[in-house]
Amino acid sequence: MAKVTMALAQVNPLVGDIDANTRLVLEFARRAIDEHQAGLILFPELVLTGYPPEDLLLRPSLARRIDRALQALCEARLPIKLLVGYPRVKAGRVYNAAGLIDQGQLVAEYYKQCLPNYQVFDEKRYFEAGTQPCVIDLWGLPVAITVCEDIWQAGPMAQARDAGARLMLNINASPYHRGKTTERRALLKQRAVEGNMPILYVNQVGGQDELVFDGHSMAVDAGGKSLMQAPAFDAGLFTIELDLESGQLLPAQQTEDVCSLESVYRALVLGVRDYVTKNRFNGVVLGLSGGIDSALTLAIAVDALGADRVEAVMMPFRYTSQLSQDDASDQARRMGVKYHVVSIEPIYEAFMASLAPAFTGTQLDTTEENLQARCRGVILMAMSNKHGSLVLTTGNKSEMAVGYSTLYGDMAGGFDVLKDVPKTLVFELARHRNRVREVIPDSVITRPPSAELRPDQKDEDSLPAYPVLDDILERYVERDESAADIIAAGHAEADVRRVLRLVDINEYKRRQAPIGPRLTKRGFGRDRRYPITNGWSIGD
Amino acid sequence: MAKVTMALAQVNPLVGDIDANTRLVLEFARRAIDEHQAGLILFPELVLTGYPPEDLLLRPSLARRIDRALQALCEARLPIKLLVGYPRVKAGRVYNAAGLIDQGQLVAEYYKQCLPNYQVFDEKRYFEAGTQPCVIDLWGLPVAITVCEDIWQAGPMAQARDAGARLMLNINASPYHRGKTTERRALLKQRAVEGNMPILYVNQVGGQDELVFDGHSMAVDAGGKSLMQAPAFDAGLFTIELDLESGQLLPAQQTEDVCSLESVYRALVLGVRDYVTKNRFNGVVLGLSGGIDSALTLAIAVDALGADRVEAVMMPFRYTSQLSQDDASDQARRMGVKYHVVSIEPIYEAFMASLAPAFTGTQLDTTEENLQARCRGVILMAMSNKHGSLVLTTGNKSEMAVGYSTLYGDMAGGFDVLKDVPKTLVFELARHRNRVREVIPDSVITRPPSAELRPDQKDEDSLPAYPVLDDILERYVERDESAADIIAAGHAEADVRRVLRLVDINEYKRRQAPIGPRLTKRGFGRDRRYPITNGWSIGD
């Protein structure tokens, strides 16, 4: 046999459901045999638990459950070698393991050496680091096994090379963020060259709470040149041939990259679809205000779930313009979703009448604005409760950053689709989506953004223009620049100080915000852990 | 000089406010000189940033700010040795450092070797571990410096002993949980005996978001016998004398322990006081239902802030009993707080009228119950917005565990005082507080708990009796027991499966819950990181 087919299982496991994930592994392995006569199939990191399992790793029955799953994989005695990831409990410690199953036996086991404990990752909370490389003989070829972060550092490849490996198998659960494909490619190239060996890289796909895994499995040759690339954001089984004489991988399917906007859009669609379906909601409901955030959220929801699983509710008040009402109903019609109009006027009046004794002698302020938002939140939640649907919230990253949103009002809901999408990107994505088919009325995109909580209110009355705001926010939140750095980059000091202060004092809102898909190198979730009680001054 | 006075500064820093914390260090150091002629003063771990600073440790200006603070401490040239904790940035890495300042110079610096990365701790996210002991000569005596977790493991004491140390200074930011004093004492005893040297243990005091630091600084002799103990939950400056000839610490102030209930009560009071004052709220407002949770929360709030900073609101509906209304007004009168009655009847009716078209053909269900809770949440938030006060929520740990609470309803607010207090402990605390003065009407304690969201509703209609529920919850949540373990302990299988399932499926609610003070070994906060999307079956 001069050539062997290697299969990459770019699967979408359900975190915690070890039984279902084990069946998924068997199903893909059988397909790799039946459809491709493959000799080896690679599954992602921790495929048996899904990634990240978080504190499920602390459950006492974990070891038993994993043992049972591995036993089931062995007992299937499939005529293919299986490389699977799972947590291995050993002498009271847990390792992030990759095991090779061949002819009904676990023939090799590797423990991840580099444990990420930054950004969204907490692996040192759970895992003990391995200390040994694992190089095994496959059809006469010495092959190294590594797990995810191991390839982001230089050590494990150097070990593999020193141990005589001629091919690296790297199994991953690597979450998406904008631009990550480019980073990964450069990295694989560098490591392949360092080790002078080809690399097979398989990655999980799917949404898991705030993370979106993009798949995008790939292979590079010993010079780092791309030999194959699987699509992003879709599960699937992909193959590449290994020439046993030369030890080289042969060129295979090359899925073309999509543009950055399309990539973000697909990440959002996948994030919504998986959150809704994995949590078994009947569908979603959202407030449609006539503004661009809810318009884009609706388009994503329909693309993720189909129009029949999406309901939109316009909740007008005295400050809601006719244009907003027309645009909302127009968009609902274009997208074919069920559409309700529920005025909040009598509800607001009932609250104000009841609060009148407590509010005697006070002035109108943001209290009344928040009250409008909260009337709407309660209506959406009531519809969600009654119909078993999930409320999607529509707050974008710029709003989340500066607290331009109402807790228990427009923040009421289970999944915030645009949570990591800055407002300027909301506009780009809306235009991008409309290029396929114009589902968002043009006036929604071109009118100046307004919360419509006061007469003639515009967002830019209380915030810097969005391009300015978003640049300041990206520098502060994603790049950790200081106030001095941001001012030096050309922003007005008053803007910088105001925006940074707003970010700092609104941590309490974000702490109670719904989760949403992470798209950048720093989202407002597990990624950014700030104290609420916080005396840090903006200073320098 | 045969004896030296050592001062323990049990201080309450504000996280992030390096300038203010530096002033606090100088103030306590001057007091130690003026009032006690002390030769050395010990401050807690990371006193310059407060603990835990979380992602503030990633800010680029951290190094500059800490350098300035250390410079200010040196330049003060106080006639006392200062041992302070701070993050040290060095070659791009951050260490959890303890530095000794003497005569205007930083004369020694130790880097914490054991970095906790479990429970609520994420130190491996931020810090590089030190590798070296630090033993310095103080008045001819070799003294070891260690930081917090270093004393929870055997290594650093063994190092200190091997390096010839005869006294250990251990600076801490050790959060409270029930029973921790006993653990700490046993630990200090064990280490002192292992190292055959006395230990001076200083701890931070104060509330910081979900953590409460109890102070309780202490000293033990080389046999582990207690020589001094500072009070819990109060800041203060405490002293002990060191005999330079024998190297022994001399017996000093012994604050007696309080009982476990009093200790929990004080932790709650401190948690509320510090959250409110450090975040600069004018006061607090809470819904008073006539039930025991809000009754106890009110008592704690008044004890923390004084009656004039606390407002209570009774929000009756058709299912609210006369007893509840009488008990609520009675309690408000006894505690001397401002009391409002705001009926939610007309607001509820307004919502139902507006929702009628969307609800055509549906039955009454929990939607209408949630709606009542949400009307109340919106009223409290409006009062909070108008008056600059914080809404305290009143959900206990048993409710948080099984999701017996309404998001954006009774969960609407900034701080959940009883979040880590199981219902059975709520009863005990209420009785305990009443022993000082009966502020909670007896009928509030003796009547069967009810949410009063349906006619004649009792909590125990839908949940196991609270003693049963709380035992199952403690085993599952705090002790990580499996379903099989809990059934084996004598609980009915149906109860166990129902309760565990409720805990698992309600993660989404807890994720949006307000923070609250942690009192147990596992609270629902940073301590317990479960996925929302989760296919883990209860199984075994």
Side-chain angles (χ1 to χ4, degrees):
Chain A
M1 179 167 65
K3 286 181 195 167
V4 180
T5 300
M6 321 280 275
L8 287 79
Q10 184 167 301
V11 292
N12 188 347
L14 174 58
V15 162
D17 196 343
I18 295 173
D19 288 345
N21 297 336
T22 306
R23 290 192 298 272
L24 186 68
V25 166
L26 289 171
E27 176 204 325
F28 268 73
R30 293 197 174 99
R31 278 184 53 198
I33 299 164
D34 296 346
E35 299 169 17
H36 304 284
Q37 296 78 48
L40 170 70
I41 181 166
L42 287 74
F43 290 89
E45 179 181 15
L46 294 187
V47 67
L48 295 185
T49 56
Y51 194 93
E54 303 188 71
D55 279 8
L56 293 171
L57 291 167
L58 307 178
R59 302 267 8 132
S61 58
L62 178 76
R64 283 201 294 281
R65 292 179 188 215
I66 291 294
D67 284 347
R68 278 203 300 265
L70 290 173
Q71 201 180 338
L73 295 181
C74 287
E75 284 172 1
R77 295 191 72 90
L78 298 179
I80 188 170
K81 301 179 204 297
L82 294 158
L83 182 61
V84 290
Y86 49 88
R88 166 62 80 192
V89 183
K90 209 169 133 177
R93 291 162 191 255
V94 187
Y95 297 87
N96 185 333
L100 188 77
I101 293 170
D102 192 15
Q103 299 185 18
Q105 299 287 328
L106 182 68
V107 295
E109 198 168 62
Y110 169 75
Y111 300 147
K112 186 176 185 179
Q113 299 182 73
C114 304
L115 301 174
N117 205 66
Y118 52 81
Q119 292 177 350
V120 298
F121 302 106
D122 279 314
E123 292 203 11
K124 291 183 181 169
R125 179 175 173 87
Y126 307 110
F127 297 118
E128 187 75 14
T131 55
Q132 299 297 323
C134 175
V135 177
I136 48 166
D137 183 288
L138 294 183
W139 306 285
L141 191 73
V143 175
I145 298 170
T146 55
V147 180
C148 204
E149 186 79 6
D150 286 328
I151 201 116
W152 290 81
Q153 303 193 24
M157 177 56 92
Q159 277 178 339
R161 187 197 54 215
D162 294 348
R166 289 181 51 209
L167 168 66
M168 177 167 283
L169 309 179
N170 178 241
I171 69 172
N172 294 268
S174 172
Y176 170 77
H177 61 74
R178 286 190 82 179
K180 193 154 185 184
T181 306
T182 312
E183 287 174 42
R184 277 192 205 126
R185 270 201 207 111
L187 180 80
L188 288 184
K189 177 168 185 172
Q190 185 190 339
R191 290 287 171 261
V193 169
E194 285 169 12
N196 189 30
M197 70 182 83
I199 304 174
L200 258 181
Y201 174 102
V202 64
N203 190 21
Q204 169 176 312
V205 74
Q208 169 60 28
D209 288 353
E210 67 186 41
L211 300 182
V212 180
F213 296 88
D214 56 340
H216 234 306
S217 301
M218 47 178 101
V220 297
D221 70 14
K225 189 165 149 278
S226 175
L227 294 171
M228 73 87 66
Q229 177 168 284
F233 306 112
D234 286 320
L237 182 64
F238 306 95
T239 57
I240 186 166
E241 285 188 306
L242 172 66
D243 182 308
L244 291 174
E245 277 162 39
S246 67
Q248 297 308 307
L249 295 167
L250 307 181
Q253 171 183 343
Q254 281 282 8
T255 310
E256 267 186 52
D257 287 348
V258 296
C259 74
S260 170
L261 283 178
E262 178 64 15
S263 155
V264 169
Y265 195 85
R266 289 191 194 181
L268 292 170
V269 167
L270 180 59
V272 171
R273 184 187 299 133
D274 275 6
Y275 192 79
V276 171
T277 57
K278 289 181 175 179
N279 287 295
R280 303 187 193 178
F281 287 100
N282 296 330
V284 298
V285 57
L286 74 160
L288 201 60
S289 69
I292 192 164
D293 298 314
S294 60
L296 179 63
T297 303
L298 179 64
I300 293 165
V302 170
D303 289 337
L305 304 167
D308 57 334
R309 294 180 71 192
V310 180
E311 282 184 271
V313 191
M314 156 50 82
M315 292 167 283
F317 187 59
R318 63 194 69 157
Y319 308 132
T320 310
S321 64
Q322 190 59 47
L323 179 62
S324 293
Q325 301 191 50
D326 294 346
D327 278 349
S329 75
D330 181 17
Q331 200 200 353
R333 191 184 42 71
R334 293 187 198 200
M335 311 267 329
V337 299
K338 192 163 178 186
Y339 181 66
H340 309 261
V341 179
V342 182
S343 164
I344 60 164
E345 199 75 46
I347 301 165
Y348 176 90
E349 287 301 338
F351 271 115
M352 288 306 288
S354 297
L355 285 164
F359 282 7
T360 310
T362 64
Q363 303 291 313
L364 284 185
D365 57 21
T366 52
T367 304
E368 286 77 12
E369 300 184 21
N370 287 335
L371 182 55
Q372 297 164 50
R374 292 195 177 115
C375 291
R376 294 186 174 115
V378 173
I379 286 173
L380 290 175
M381 288 306 297
M383 296 184 68
S384 142
N385 284 174
K386 204 53 122 186
H387 301 135
S389 55
L390 172 74
V391 176
L392 293 181
T393 65
T394 62
N396 61 60
K397 187 176 195 176
S398 316
E399 288 176 6
M400 284 299 106
V402 296
Y404 199 70
S405 57
T406 300
L407 263 176
Y408 327 128
D410 50 302
M411 290 174 70
F415 201 71
D416 183 1
V417 181
L418 306 180
K419 186 172 182 179
D420 205 26
V421 182
K423 186 80 171 192
T424 45
L425 183 56
V426 170
F427 282 98
E428 290 182 66
L429 288 171
R431 290 197 193 90
H432 175 75
R433 178 62 187 82
N434 268 4
R435 282 195 279 272
V436 182
R437 185 166 77 82
E438 192 175 299
V439 290
I440 300 172
D442 195 52
S443 54
V444 171
I445 301 178
T446 53
R447 63 193 294 210
S450 166
E452 294 195 328
L453 295 169
R454 285 194 301 272
D456 302 319
Q457 185 180 28
K458 303 266 179 302
D459 292 6
E460 298 191 354
D461 297 343
S462 31
L463 296 171
Y466 278 114
V468 172
L469 177 64
D470 283 354
D471 189 61
I472 296 174
L473 289 173
E474 185 180 329
R475 289 170 182 277
Y476 187 56
V477 175
E478 290 172 41
R479 294 196 229 148
D480 275 332
E481 292 186 15
S482 67
D485 297 334
I486 304 174
I487 294 163
H491 288 288
E493 177 167 351
D495 280 348
V496 172
R497 296 202 167 269
R498 185 151 127 264
V499 170
L500 270 50
R501 184 174 150 71
L502 286 171
V503 174
D504 289 352
I505 64 175
N506 281 293
E507 179 58 26
Y508 76 100
K509 283 193 191 178
R510 290 188 292 268
R511 202 65 77 81
Q512 293 188 37
I515 61 168
R518 173 178 179 264
L519 303 168
T520 66
K521 279 193 160 181
R522 185 167 294 150
F524 288 124
R526 288 279 154 92
D527 225 1
R528 191 175 188 275
R529 305 180 190 176
Y530 269 65
I532 297 175
T533 305
N534 178 357
W536 187 266
S537 59
I538 294 161
D540 52 357
Chain B
M1 179 167 67
K3 287 181 196 168
V4 180
T5 299
M6 320 279 276
L8 286 80
Q10 183 167 300
V11 293
N12 187 347
L14 174 59
V15 162
D17 196 342
I18 296 174
D19 288 345
N21 297 336
T22 306
R23 288 192 300 271
L24 186 69
V25 166
L26 289 171
E27 177 203 324
F28 268 72
R30 291 196 175 104
R31 278 185 53 200
I33 299 163
D34 296 345
E35 299 170 16
H36 304 284
Q37 296 79 49
L40 169 70
I41 181 166
L42 286 76
F43 290 90
E45 179 181 13
L46 294 187
V47 65
L48 296 184
T49 56
Y51 193 94
E54 304 189 69
D55 279 8
L56 293 172
L57 290 167
L58 307 178
R59 301 264 14 130
S61 58
L62 178 76
R64 282 202 294 281
R65 291 179 189 215
I66 292 294
D67 284 346
R68 278 203 299 264
L70 289 174
Q71 200 180 339
L73 296 181
C74 288
E75 284 172 0
R77 297 192 71 89
L78 298 180
I80 188 170
K81 300 179 203 299
L82 293 157
L83 181 62
V84 290
Y86 49 89
R88 165 62 80 192
V89 183
K90 208 169 133 177
R93 291 162 192 255
V94 187
Y95 298 87
N96 185 334
L100 187 79
I101 293 171
D102 191 15
Q103 299 186 17
Q105 298 288 329
L106 182 68
V107 295
E109 197 168 62
Y110 170 75
Y111 301 147
K112 185 176 185 177
Q113 299 182 71
C114 304
L115 301 175
N117 206 66
Y118 53 80
Q119 293 176 348
V120 298
F121 302 105
D122 280 313
E123 291 202 11
K124 292 183 181 170
R125 179 175 173 87
Y126 307 109
F127 297 117
E128 188 75 14
T131 54
Q132 299 298 320
C134 175
V135 177
I136 48 165
D137 183 289
L138 293 184
W139 305 286
L141 190 73
V143 175
I145 299 171
T146 56
V147 179
C148 205
E149 187 80 4
D150 286 327
I151 200 118
W152 290 81
Q153 303 194 24
M157 177 56 90
Q159 277 178 340
R161 187 198 53 213
D162 294 349
R166 288 181 53 208
L167 168 67
M168 176 168 283
L169 309 179
N170 177 241
I171 69 172
N172 292 269
S174 173
Y176 170 78
H177 62 71
R178 286 189 83 181
K180 193 154 187 186
T181 305
T182 312
E183 288 174 41
R184 276 192 207 127
R185 268 199 209 115
L187 180 81
L188 288 185
K189 178 169 183 171
Q190 185 189 341
R191 290 289 171 260
V193 169
E194 284 169 14
N196 189 31
M197 71 182 82
I199 304 174
L200 257 182
Y201 175 101
V202 64
N203 191 22
Q204 170 175 312
V205 74
Q208 168 61 28
D209 289 352
E210 68 185 43
L211 300 181
V212 180
F213 296 87
D214 56 340
H216 233 307
S217 300
M218 47 178 103
V220 296
D221 69 15
K225 191 165 147 281
S226 174
L227 295 171
M228 73 86 67
Q229 177 169 285
F233 307 112
D234 286 318
L237 181 64
F238 307 94
T239 56
I240 186 166
E241 284 187 307
L242 172 67
D243 182 307
L244 292 174
E245 277 161 40
S246 65
Q248 298 307 307
L249 295 167
L250 307 180
Q253 171 182 345
Q254 281 283 6
T255 310
E256 268 185 51
D257 286 348
V258 295
C259 74
S260 170
L261 284 177
E262 178 64 16
S263 155
V264 169
Y265 195 86
R266 289 191 194 179
L268 293 169
V269 167
L270 179 59
V272 170
R273 184 187 298 134
D274 274 5
Y275 191 78
V276 170
T277 56
K278 289 181 176 179
N279 286 296
R280 302 187 194 180
F281 287 101
N282 295 331
V284 298
V285 58
L286 74 160
L288 201 60
S289 69
I292 191 164
D293 299 314
S294 59
L296 179 62
T297 304
L298 179 63
I300 293 165
V302 170
D303 289 337
L305 304 167
D308 56 333
R309 294 181 71 191
V310 180
E311 282 184 274
V313 191
M314 156 49 83
M315 292 168 283
F317 188 58
R318 62 193 71 158
Y319 308 132
T320 310
S321 64
Q322 189 60 46
L323 178 63
S324 294
Q325 302 191 48
D326 293 346
D327 279 350
S329 75
D330 181 17
Q331 200 199 353
R333 192 183 42 71
R334 292 187 199 200
M335 311 267 329
V337 300
K338 192 164 181 185
Y339 182 64
H340 309 261
V341 178
V342 183
S343 165
I344 61 164
E345 199 74 47
I347 301 164
Y348 177 90
E349 288 300 337
F351 271 116
M352 288 305 290
S354 298
L355 286 164
F359 281 9
T360 309
T362 63
Q363 303 292 311
L364 284 185
D365 58 19
T366 52
T367 305
E368 286 77 13
E369 299 185 20
N370 287 335
L371 182 55
Q372 296 163 50
R374 292 194 177 115
C375 290
R376 294 185 174 115
V378 173
I379 286 172
L380 290 175
M381 289 306 298
M383 295 183 68
S384 142
N385 285 173
K386 204 52 121 185
H387 301 134
S389 55
L390 171 75
V391 175
L392 293 182
T393 65
T394 64
N396 60 61
K397 186 175 195 176
S398 316
E399 288 176 6
M400 283 300 106
V402 296
Y404 199 71
S405 57
T406 301
L407 265 176
Y408 326 128
D410 50 301
M411 291 174 69
F415 201 70
D416 183 1
V417 181
L418 306 179
K419 185 172 183 181
D420 205 25
V421 182
K423 186 78 170 192
T424 45
L425 183 57
V426 170
F427 282 99
E428 290 182 66
L429 288 171
R431 289 198 193 92
H432 174 76
R433 178 62 185 83
N434 267 5
R435 282 196 278 274
V436 181
R437 185 166 77 83
E438 193 176 298
V439 290
I440 300 172
D442 194 51
S443 54
V444 171
I445 300 179
T446 54
R447 62 193 296 209
S450 167
E452 294 195 326
L453 295 168
R454 285 194 302 273
D456 302 318
Q457 186 180 29
K458 304 267 179 303
D459 292 6
E460 297 190 356
D461 298 342
S462 32
L463 295 172
Y466 278 115
V468 172
L469 177 64
D470 283 354
D471 189 61
I472 296 174
L473 289 173
E474 184 179 328
R475 289 169 184 278
Y476 187 57
V477 175
E478 289 171 42
R479 295 194 229 150
D480 274 332
E481 291 185 16
S482 67
D485 297 334
I486 304 174
I487 293 163
H491 288 289
E493 179 167 349
D495 280 350
V496 173
R497 295 202 170 271
R498 184 150 127 266
V499 170
L500 269 50
R501 183 173 151 71
L502 286 171
V503 174
D504 289 352
I505 65 176
N506 281 293
E507 180 56 28
Y508 77 99
K509 282 193 192 178
R510 290 187 292 269
R511 202 65 77 82
Q512 293 188 36
I515 61 167
R518 172 178 180 265
L519 303 169
T520 66
K521 278 191 159 182
R522 186 167 294 148
F524 288 125
R526 289 279 154 93
D527 225 0
R528 191 174 187 274
R529 305 181 191 176
Y530 270 65
I532 297 176
T533 305
N534 177 0
W536 188 266
S537 59
I538 294 160
D540 54 354

